[in-house]
Each structure stands twice: as C-alpha cells, then as structure tokens.
Amino acid sequence: HPEDLKKSDEALQEHFTGQTPYYEVECRMKHKDGSWIWVVDRGKVFSWTEDGKPLIMFGTYIDITRQKKRHVQFENFVKQAPSAVAMFDKNLCCLAASDKWLDEYGFTGEDVYGQSIYDLFPNTSDNWKELHQACLNGEIKKGTETPFINSQGELVWLNWEMKPWKSMGQIAGIMIHSEDVTKARELEAQKDRIQNVLELTNNVVRVGAWEYEIDSDELYWSDVTKEIHEVEYDYKRIIEFSKDRYTTDLSISRHES
C-alpha cells in the first residue's frame, strides 16, 4: 500500500545496516481480487556480498486482516468509552483514547495518536515507568490517590488501573484507565482542616454542642458538653438526665400537637 511504503523501507534499511536482527513490519498488500489485506511481513538476510550488501533474504507473510478489523473495532470502543481510558502499543505509543481521557489531560486526538506516553508526559517518574514495564510483562496494576505530573507539569492525584492487552495471543500493549481525584482530595483535606479548627475552637472557648433527633427523641452531646456536665465521654443514655434540665419550645409544641 502506498501509505505503508515508507515505514516498510525504513524497517528494511534498519535491518540491512544491522540495527535490527530481522525485518518486521505490519503493512497492507493488494489481494488478487483487488482488495487490500493486512499482513505481518517478516524477513532476515542470510547471505551477504563481500562488500557487505544483502544478497539473499528469506521471509514470511502472516495474514492479520481479521485481527486488524477487530483491532479497529476495539479502538472505536475505547474512543467512545465514558471513562478516561487510553490504549498504548508495546512501544507505549498511543493508539486510541476516549474523549474523556483527552479532555481530562488537555489533548486532542491529533496530539496523542502515535506519540509516546513519555513525550505526552515528559515528567513521568521512574515509578510509573516501572509500572508500565511490569504491565508489558503481563502484570495487572492498580492504585488509589497516586501522585502524577500531568502534561502541564501540575501535580494531580489519580485512581487508576493498568493492564496488558493482547493480539494474536501475544501482549501487544497496555490499557490505562484513570480518574482524576485531585479536586475531591482537596475538598476532603479542606473539610478536615475546618473540622480541626472547629474542634480546637470548641476546646479553647469551651463551647459545647448538642443535637436533638425529634423522631427518636434522642439527644446527643459533644465531648465538651459532656465535660461541662461532668459525665464520662462514653456516656450514652443522656435523655432523662437532660430532660431534668431543659424544656424547649420545640418539645412543648410537639406535645401540644
């Protein structure tokens, strides 16, 4: 196929110059019925001329048209996934990504397809690189609230899962599903800070808090309230104890109704 000639020629030259032990490329070839089929074209030079040029080369073709069609269907499935998921080949170049993933990381399809994950995220830590390699070796990895430096150089926190995907029975790359939980994590931290400030304030100014559940007729006291009344912290049955001390408009109106 005209679009595959360049990569085929490059793979041949790499083999002829000794950069690769054999020639291998996925390309399209014209069938006798006029259609294009996908093949894995593999070959190796077994004989060289005296001046170091290839003389005899043997090779094989493997028809992978069906696998390619399934692969395209799978890529389309990934693109339409409602969550942030991306598909990478064994060289960790992006093959497909969902719209959610592209949006979450600030990319468009043209930005990422064919690009290495390390070009997309140049600040990737060694720990993440080790996880990628482990996954390429067949392991499934996952984590929660894990720090990650995004493409803008910002620290974000991810819940994530990483697993290998296969083609023709062999690991062909990895799938990465992620969820940015940075905002949720910040909100939780802010909530904890506010709670700590409230507790500190209550302890300093000795403000006791209480909560009354009308339906169950139960009254709950905070620790400071229990200290004010000089009861134990694990004191539970405080309803009768408190009724001797308080009569509220709420309780009166409730009985009147």
Side-chain angles (χ1 to χ4, degrees):
H1 194 281
E3 295 179 3
D4 300 329
L5 285 175
K6 182 179 178 181
K7 69 176 180 180
S8 179
D9 289 341
E10 290 175 349
L12 272 173
Q13 291 304 314
E14 289 175 357
H15 177 54
F16 291 163
T17 56
Q19 298 179 55
T20 56
Y22 53 87
Y23 160 80
E24 180 177 349
V25 69
E26 291 185 5
C27 60
R28 285 161 287 187
M29 301 189 72
K30 203 163 193 177
H31 194 273
K32 68 178 182 179
D33 64 8
S35 64
W36 293 97
I37 63 171
W38 279 96
V39 300
V40 174
D41 186 10
R42 292 193 181 103
K44 181 178 178 65
V45 175
F46 285 89
S47 181
W48 304 81
T49 63
E50 292 182 357
D51 57 355
K53 294 180 180 179
L55 181 62
I56 299 175
M57 184 175 185
F58 294 100
T60 60
Y61 292 134
I62 300 177
D63 187 347
I64 59 169
T65 306
R66 290 184 179 178
Q67 290 91 326
K68 273 291 184 180
K69 288 180 178 178
R70 287 197 297 267
H71 183 73
V72 170
Q73 292 173 344
F74 189 58
E75 286 182 357
N76 290 333
F77 171 77
V78 170
K79 292 176 183 178
Q80 297 172 22
S83 57
V85 58
M87 178 180 184
F88 297 86
D89 64 18
K90 61 184 178 182
N91 295 315
L92 295 178
C93 293
C94 186
L95 297 176
S98 66
D99 291 339
K100 175 72 173 177
W101 190 90
L102 295 172
D103 180 65
E104 200 160 274
Y105 292 101
F107 294 120
T108 64
E110 291 73 17
D111 293 331
V112 302
Y113 298 148
Q115 297 295 313
S116 166
I117 193 172
Y118 303 131
D119 290 332
L120 297 173
F121 304 104
N123 297 307
T124 302
S125 67
D126 289 340
N127 181 56
W128 279 104
K129 292 178 181 179
E130 291 174 2
L131 290 169
H132 295 155
Q133 291 305 312
C135 192
L136 286 171
N137 289 329
E139 297 183 43
I140 296 175
K141 298 290 187 178
K142 62 176 64 177
T144 58
E145 295 194 9
T146 306
F148 179 74
I149 305 298
N150 66 16
S151 58
Q152 288 78 41
E154 302 167 335
L155 175 65
V156 296
W157 299 84
L158 303 177
N159 291 346
W160 58 275
E161 183 174 8
M162 190 185 308
K163 59 179 63 178
W165 64 272
K166 295 183 178 181
S167 177
M168 300 175 63
Q170 302 294 320
I171 293 176
I174 62 176
M175 296 283 296
I176 302 177
H177 174 275
S178 62
E179 178 188 6
D180 189 336
V181 295
T182 306
K183 291 183 179 179
R185 194 173 187 273
E186 291 174 350
L187 287 173
E188 188 63 29
Q190 184 179 16
K191 178 181 176 182
D192 290 341
R193 287 195 296 270
I194 293 173
Q195 183 64 33
N196 289 335
V197 170
L198 288 175
E199 290 180 0
L200 179 61
T201 302
N202 287 345
N203 289 331
V204 170
V205 300
R206 301 284 291 171
V207 175
W210 57 267
E211 179 182 346
Y212 178 60
E213 291 189 6
I214 299 174
D215 290 339
S216 62
D217 200 28
E218 293 181 340
L219 182 66
Y220 297 93
W221 285 347
S222 69
D223 287 346
V224 174
T225 301
K226 293 176 183 178
E227 290 176 1
I228 292 173
H229 287 275
E230 298 182 352
V231 296
E232 299 296 330
Y233 288 123
D234 60 352
Y235 190 74
K236 300 294 183 181
R237 300 186 61 80
I238 61 175
I239 302 172
E240 297 301 326
F241 185 79
S242 62
K243 281 182 178 179
D244 295 336
R245 290 161 173 75
Y246 304 109
T247 302
T248 66
D249 293 337
L250 179 64
S251 63
I252 293 173
S253 61
R254 203 173 150 232
H255 289 302
E256 289 176 350
S257 62

